[in-house]
Amino acid sequence: MGHKSQIRLITTKEGLSVLKGLNVFINDDFLQTVLKNTQVNKTFGDVIYLGWNDVNLSKERLLTDAMLDLEEKDISYTLSVIGENSGEEEINLHYESKTKDIKELPFPSIIYTFDEKDMEEQLQYYEKHSKDNTKQMEELEYE
């Protein structure tokens, strides 16, 4: 199955142009494909908010590596990555421009929630197996 992440990137229109212009990867189309296949794509003035869900590790690394190009061009960004499970490591990369008009960008809000479906499945499993264990214990006591 592999590692899956959710990624959110906040940068400027200039930052997005830089990312779209990068050709330093083995497959030049790969980054362009990633940038086109967003689940979140919103513009707020000169700020761009992009998001990807169920991202595999190679795309995650590609985006984190591409942030170095934004830093070299002194372009602000915030990149947040959360793993498939709440226990997985989070990545928060942030760069604040020294010379551009847009310096500080917000961090994406991350809300942890309870997985009710998983909890119900665990409890149903527990209920089924605890009955079996109780029944086995009662049988042992009467032998």
Side-chain angles (χ1 to χ4, degrees):
M1 186 82 181
H3 175 81
K4 296 284 187 181
S5 299
Q6 294 180 55
I7 299 175
R8 296 298 181 265
L9 171 63
I10 302 169
T11 189
T12 62
K13 287 182 179 178
E14 181 184 8
L16 184 58
S17 294
V18 167
L19 293 175
K20 286 183 174 180
L22 291 178
N23 287 320
V24 295
F25 302 104
I26 296 167
N27 179 351
D28 290 347
D29 296 332
F30 188 58
L31 182 62
Q32 306 321 314
T33 302
V34 171
L35 291 172
K36 287 178 187 164
N37 292 316
T38 56
Q39 281 76 51
V40 177
N41 189 339
K42 298 184 180 197
T43 303
F44 299 89
D46 285 331
V47 175
I48 306 289
Y49 177 48
L50 301 174
W52 299 266
N53 299 325
D54 296 324
V55 176
N56 68 35
L57 195 57
S58 62
K59 288 181 185 172
E60 176 185 314
R61 285 197 183 121
L62 176 71
L63 285 164
T64 55
D65 290 349
M67 295 304 104
L68 294 173
D69 291 275
L70 295 183
E71 289 183 26
E72 286 175 10
K73 298 199 180 325
D74 195 40
I75 297 171
S76 297
Y77 72 84
T78 300
L79 181 76
S80 292
V81 180
I82 56 174
E84 185 173 27
N85 301 311
S86 61
E88 289 185 48
E89 186 176 332
E90 292 176 25
I91 299 171
N92 286 300
L93 301 176
H94 180 74
Y95 178 79
E96 201 170 300
S97 172
K98 313 287 185 263
T99 62
K100 310 276 186 205
D101 288 341
I102 299 175
K103 296 185 181 352
E104 189 175 345
L105 293 170
F107 280 89
S109 297
I110 299 171
I111 301 170
Y112 291 104
T113 61
F114 290 102
D115 186 341
E116 299 300 342
K117 184 176 181 241
D118 179 64
M119 195 68 245
E120 286 177 22
E121 288 171 3
Q122 287 185 57
L123 288 167
Q124 287 168 353
Y125 179 85
Y126 175 81
E127 179 184 35
K128 180 177 184 264
H129 288 78
S130 65
K131 282 181 186 175
D132 292 344
N133 290 340
T134 305
K135 189 175 178 184
Q136 288 172 353
M137 290 299 285
E138 287 173 357
E139 288 172 4
L140 285 174
E141 287 175 11
Y142 292 115
E143 289 180 359

